[in-house]
Amino acid sequence: MASDNLQYAPQPKLVDGLFGVPMDIQTIDAHVVFDGSTSTATGDATLTYLMGGQDGCPIFDLRQTITSAWLDGVPIAPTLLAHHDFGGGPNADLRIVAMVQTAHSAHTLRVQYAVGVPQTDVAGNYTPHVVWDAGPRLRFNFGFTDLRPSRYLEAFIPANLIYDQFQLTIEIDIQNTAIAHSVITNGAVTSLGANHWSISFPDRFSALSTLLDVRATDTVTLWTDLLTLPVSGNVVTIEGWKLNTDMATDLVNSVNNIKAYLSTNENDVGPYLHGSRYVAFLSAGGMEYEGGTTSVPASLRHETYHSWWARGVKPARQQDGWWDEGWDVYHDNGSMGATPFNFANPPIELCSQNEWQRVTASNAYGDGEAFWEGVAALLGVATLKSLMREFYSQFKGRVAATYDFEAFLLCKTGNAQLVNAFHRFAYGFTTPVPVPDLWLRDEIGDPGNNAWAGRFWDSPDLWVRNADDGSSVHQNPEYGQDNWIYARVRNRSPSATAQHFAVAFQVKTFAGTQFSYPADFLPCAAAVVGFNLSAGQSTVLKARWPTSLVPPAGTHACLLASVLTPGDFPAIAAHAWEHNNLAQKNLTIIDLRPNEFIVIPFVVPNLFRRVIGEFALQLIPHQKFIPESVSLIRSDGKLAEKRRRSRLAQNAKNMAAGQLSDCGQQPQLPLKDWGWITADDSPRFAELFADRVEMPFTKNSGFKMPIDVQPTEQHVYGLKVIVPPNAVIGEVMKFDLAQVDRRSGKILGGIAAEIRVR
């Protein structure tokens, strides 16, 4: 089954009275028949596809003349599949199925058409052909290029924009000629008879992946050799093709060069993705395919690298076509450049905001390479190369947008200057004047000022979902799977639009009463990039929280978020209550039965450098308080020291008696015990609070307990909540625990707990 990449598709658009919506193609089965007796060709193709989340008229493309069509088996007029201008420029129009279809429904579309020169700009070094020479001999090739619109699969086969990945089968049948023909392709070829083949392509392919060139066998020469790749160990057959009239190309030398490049690339980037073949047609120009190229010999180093960058990880949209070309040129030039960004220079647009663009930016090679040199200067050459290898490992076989690189690099490095760099030198935006004021609420009723004196540790603008379902109800993270983090970002500015911004999400696997920027917020567990947030508006963004970073079941996950847009970054050392770009959700949700309890370990820091922290921990119940139901647990330092000395003495006796186990034999804590505590015999309880003292919160004390913390130190406490025996099933008990400065009375931090009685 093909991948669902609709998150990369353009937004639905009303065009000529039709609400055009992207489709998700699952399979394409095409049959192209060439008739040597009439020098003609016809096509017959069927798409199976799914609708996205909105009703509308699905869009696709084919640059041939449709003669007949069927939708879900019912004949329709070809005029219902006409081209419409979406604003992508000349020859970038798309076909709309002019019939409204419901969200998430499944359909088939079959079209028959005459096959000729594609109805688009066919100039270039390697152009599409449907040509008959004497014999008759057929010359047929797709002639892909990313520098001219509508020159991918859609030139001859109905297809989608390049965000979509699908299973493709093409049947080629050349009739009425006795001349043998050969198929040059990166697909898997099955012979169905003389001049008759079925070619299948894997479901990771998109419209820009497919190499296909059909020639009379007596007009081409093939040289093959084998290579055992150094990382994967796969044995790859290298196919080198050339025209018999090409006397200058040395196929043996070219194939040997390809072998060297493939080996180097696998060592430098990661495993080769494209199975057991690499196909090179050394004819003209230079174009990359998955595990293949059409190229001149001088360009082979560049084109083989594209099987990792461009066709191993593929651009998600045409405006993302710059990143692979720029990175490949950076590689061509030695992968050592590091030239700092100069923000005194004018902005450079590599990735436009036109979702209907269908050509790669012409400055992708020069300005794209300069961009990666700037990133190398920010992060270090070795660091950048290592991170790009990691990016390839995560995204191989998938598509990636420019903003995926931005979010990934921000998460891994925590270097917020990357947001400025992408803003100016990838998206081409100027520094905004006036500056937008982006923010996240600390609490319902928060008006958005930087300073907020109220409750701020349970932001209503942050939440976690276990599924990508769009709900706004917060859930505890679900271990062992992807989760999704959501943020509602607001723009307080009365006039300035935030053209581009990033939201970084960090997750602390412990409860803490206060956190500061950037040390606690960056690097981050996930990030998401947004665009064009108008003055006075808000938007909800989400980021995938990958399985590998989701903490074990029962772990308290404190969620932190920072919003970054040029000119509006959080202040250094600021807390969530001091800057409106920062927010946190320090909430534990747990189901308990009557008489059961939970202990939530939490950290109280003293961020003052020279002053002893004279704090109070204040319980704030959200319902009628039941005496003895909530208490504070802390370690008794004197008792802990006494027991530590006793353990050391016992260890000395055991060592003398030869009874001390090696460290590898020490018992390990069960995974489930690393979070909150719900049993007296929990190993986590014994580890954190072996010498514990339990102090109940009371009304007489105003629910406050004084504590002192030395400068720059932190203490670990436990908030214990017992469900009363007479609690009502379905009741929800909510508590906040605030850290208060005893001198000023100011709230410095806090945690929240929500107990659901079951």
Side-chain angles (χ1 to χ4, degrees):
M1 184 62 70
S3 299
D4 178 6
N5 290 335
L6 283 172
Q7 69 269 28
Y8 294 106
Q11 292 299 305
K13 185 173 182 177
L14 186 65
V15 178
D16 298 331
L18 300 171
F19 190 56
V21 297
M23 66 164 68
D24 176 23
I25 295 177
Q26 304 296 293
T27 63
I28 303 176
D29 292 294
H31 185 189
V32 184
V33 177
F34 299 90
D35 188 339
S37 64
T38 59
S39 298
T40 60
T42 57
D44 188 335
T46 299
L47 316 180
T48 65
Y49 64 92
L50 302 176
M51 294 290 288
Q54 291 182 272
D55 297 352
C57 302
I59 57 178
F60 72 105
D61 198 14
L62 173 64
R63 311 309 288 195
Q64 303 288 329
T65 299
I66 297 175
T67 55
S68 302
W70 295 259
L71 184 61
D72 298 326
V74 178
I76 62 172
T79 53
L80 295 177
L81 305 177
H83 276 102
H84 298 264
D85 184 2
F86 281 77
N91 294 306
D93 44 339
L94 290 158
R95 293 183 183 270
I96 301 180
V97 180
M99 301 178 71
V100 176
Q101 297 176 330
T102 58
H104 305 299
S105 57
H107 302 275
T108 61
L109 174 65
R110 180 185 176 192
V111 294
Q112 292 179 338
Y113 50 97
V115 175
V117 176
Q119 296 159 6
T120 186
D121 182 350
V122 294
N125 292 325
Y126 180 63
T127 60
H129 283 89
V130 187
V131 176
W132 293 94
D133 298 319
R137 291 173 171 82
L138 174 65
R139 285 185 288 150
F140 172 67
N141 64 281
F142 282 168
F144 284 8
T145 178
D146 53 10
L147 298 179
R148 300 179 191 278
S150 310
R151 285 280 298 275
Y152 293 139
L153 185 63
E154 66 273 8
F156 290 100
I157 308 292
N160 212 338
L161 297 174
I162 63 174
Y163 67 84
D164 201 5
Q165 295 174 271
F166 42 78
Q167 173 71 49
L168 169 65
T169 302
I170 303 175
E171 185 178 338
I172 300 292
D173 187 3
I174 307 174
Q175 301 176 355
N176 296 319
T177 179
I179 303 297
H181 286 72
S182 295
V183 174
I184 303 169
T185 182
N186 58 347
V189 180
T190 300
S191 177
L192 302 178
N195 288 335
H196 191 186
W197 309 268
S198 175
I199 311 165
S200 62
F201 304 88
D203 61 8
R204 70 171 185 273
F205 273 39
S206 64
L208 48 61
S209 303
T210 309
L211 168 59
L212 181 62
D213 199 310
V214 179
R215 303 278 175 150
T217 303
D218 61 7
T219 66
V220 290
T221 299
L222 169 65
W223 176 261
T224 64
D225 202 351
L226 297 177
L227 167 68
T228 301
L229 289 168
V231 175
S232 63
N234 291 342
V235 177
V236 176
T237 299
I238 316 297
E239 297 180 19
W241 296 80
K242 74 168 187 174
L243 297 173
N244 289 341
T245 54
D246 179 4
M247 299 292 109
T249 296
D250 184 336
L251 275 184
V252 175
N253 183 63
S254 294
V255 168
N256 284 335
N257 286 338
I258 292 171
K259 291 169 63 177
Y261 300 145
L262 293 177
S263 294
T264 299
N265 295 343
E266 194 173 75
N267 278 323
D268 288 349
V269 184
Y272 180 70
L273 186 64
H274 309 292
S276 59
R277 297 170 65 219
Y278 186 88
V279 181
F281 188 19
L282 301 170
S283 56
M287 188 60 195
E288 62 273 9
Y289 306 85
E290 300 208 25
T293 183
T294 52
S295 176
V296 295
S299 300
L300 283 174
R301 184 171 184 265
H302 180 93
E303 300 303 337
T304 55
Y305 199 59
H306 268 313
S307 274
W308 278 259
W309 296 106
R311 301 299 181 264
V313 181
K314 295 177 278 291
R317 309 161 304 168
Q318 201 63 58
Q319 62 261 48
D320 299 312
W322 73 271
W323 60 252
D324 62 88
E325 293 297 355
W327 183 246
D328 277 30
V329 173
Y330 183 79
H331 167 262
D332 294 343
N333 292 337
S335 301
M336 294 300 293
T339 304
F341 290 112
N342 184 353
F343 285 84
N345 290 339
I348 294 172
E349 183 182 86
L350 290 162
C351 177
S352 82
Q353 297 302 298
N354 186 346
E355 297 182 297
W356 308 102
Q357 171 183 326
R358 298 185 68 181
V359 292
T360 294
S362 59
N363 61 333
Y365 302 87
D367 290 335
E369 194 258 352
F371 179 86
W372 291 117
E373 283 200 8
V375 176
L378 273 181
L379 307 180
V381 171
T383 297
L384 175 59
K385 291 166 69 174
S386 176
L387 289 173
M388 291 295 277
R389 285 193 294 271
E390 186 176 348
F391 187 94
Y392 174 81
S393 178
Q394 289 189 20
F395 279 81
K396 63 180 183 291
R398 297 163 50 195
V399 301
T402 301
Y403 53 73
D404 288 321
F405 286 91
E406 180 183 3
F408 175 85
L409 294 172
L410 177 63
C411 280
K412 292 296 181 179
T413 67
N415 192 324
Q417 183 75 334
L418 287 161
V419 177
N420 286 331
F422 275 87
H423 181 91
R424 191 174 190 87
F425 298 114
Y427 305 121
F429 297 132
T430 60
T431 301
V433 178
V435 174
D437 184 5
L438 302 189
W439 66 294
L440 300 160
R441 289 182 298 173
D442 289 324
E443 187 178 11
I444 293 175
D446 176 6
N449 299 321
N450 278 329
W452 175 246
R455 183 176 183 264
F456 62 85
W457 47 87
D458 186 13
S459 169
D461 284 346
L462 290 180
W463 64 96
V464 171
R465 296 296 298 171
N466 304 144
D468 183 14
D469 56 11
S471 174
S472 58
V473 178
H474 176 68
Q475 296 176 314
N476 281 331
E478 187 71 29
Y479 179 64
Q481 64 171 57
D482 288 347
N483 288 251
W484 279 262
I485 307 176
Y486 287 78
R488 184 181 297 278
V489 182
R490 303 162 186 270
N491 185 358
R492 291 184 77 230
S493 172
S495 59
T497 293
Q499 296 171 298
H500 155 246
F501 58 97
V503 184
F505 301 105
Q506 180 59 304
V507 180
K508 297 292 187 180
T509 54
F510 61 89
T513 55
Q514 56 175 311
F515 301 94
S516 65
Y517 178 87
D520 292 310
F521 289 78
L522 295 172
C524 51
V528 61
V529 176
F531 298 92
N532 298 318
L533 180 55
S534 300
Q537 300 300 306
S538 67
T539 186
V540 174
L541 301 178
K542 64 184 176 184
R544 185 178 67 92
W545 185 5
T547 305
S548 60
L549 298 180
V550 177
T555 302
H556 177 94
C558 178
L559 177 61
L560 308 177
S562 52
V563 183
L564 309 169
T565 192
D568 184 27
F569 279 21
I572 300 299
H575 306 88
W577 46 270
E578 293 177 311
H579 205 288
N580 65 4
N581 290 55
L582 303 175
Q584 66 185 66
K585 196 170 199 75
N586 208 343
L587 171 65
T588 297
I589 303 174
I590 186 71
D591 294 330
L592 293 176
R593 295 184 177 92
N595 290 316
E596 291 182 334
F597 74 87
I598 181 176
V599 176
I600 305 171
F602 65 95
V603 175
V604 178
N606 177 11
L607 302 180
F608 302 116
R609 295 183 178 179
R610 296 184 176 86
V611 181
I612 294 176
E614 297 179 2
F615 306 128
L617 296 177
Q618 180 177 2
L619 182 73
I620 306 171
H622 290 227
Q623 60 282 311
K624 183 179 178 180
F625 180 73
I626 306 298
E628 307 295 324
S629 64
V630 185
S631 57
L632 184 73
I633 294 176
R634 66 173 177 83
S635 293
D636 186 305
K638 293 181 180 179
L639 184 58
E641 178 62 18
K642 181 178 179 180
R643 291 186 177 178
R644 187 184 73 86
R645 291 180 182 277
S646 175
R647 286 195 299 270
L648 289 175
Q650 186 61 48
N651 285 345
K653 291 180 181 180
N654 292 343
M655 183 177 293
Q659 297 175 349
L660 194 65
S661 298
D662 293 336
C663 63
Q665 298 174 309
Q666 296 298 318
Q668 300 295 308
L669 293 179
L671 193 63
K672 64 181 180 181
D673 285 324
W674 284 100
W676 53 66
I677 299 162
T678 56
D680 286 309
D681 59 354
S682 163
R684 183 66 163 164
F685 211 168
E687 178 199 24
L688 287 176
F689 304 112
D691 311 297
R692 57 187 175 269
V693 175
E694 186 171 337
M695 301 172 293
F697 286 96
T698 65
K699 289 184 178 180
N700 291 338
S701 65
F703 301 121
K704 289 183 180 180
M705 292 187 186
I707 62 171
D708 293 335
V709 182
Q710 293 295 316
T712 70
E713 293 185 353
Q714 64 184 34
H715 290 179
V716 178
Y717 297 90
L719 177 67
K720 182 176 182 179
V721 181
I722 302 172
V723 179
N726 59 348
V728 178
I729 306 303
E731 182 181 357
V732 178
M733 304 167 57
K734 296 183 179 181
F735 300 91
D736 291 310
L737 186 67
Q739 177 189 354
V740 181
D741 188 321
R742 297 206 307 266
R743 298 183 183 91
S744 65
K746 185 176 182 62
I747 295 177
L748 302 177
I751 64 172
E754 183 175 303
I755 312 300
R756 298 171 178 174
V757 182
R758 61 184 174 90

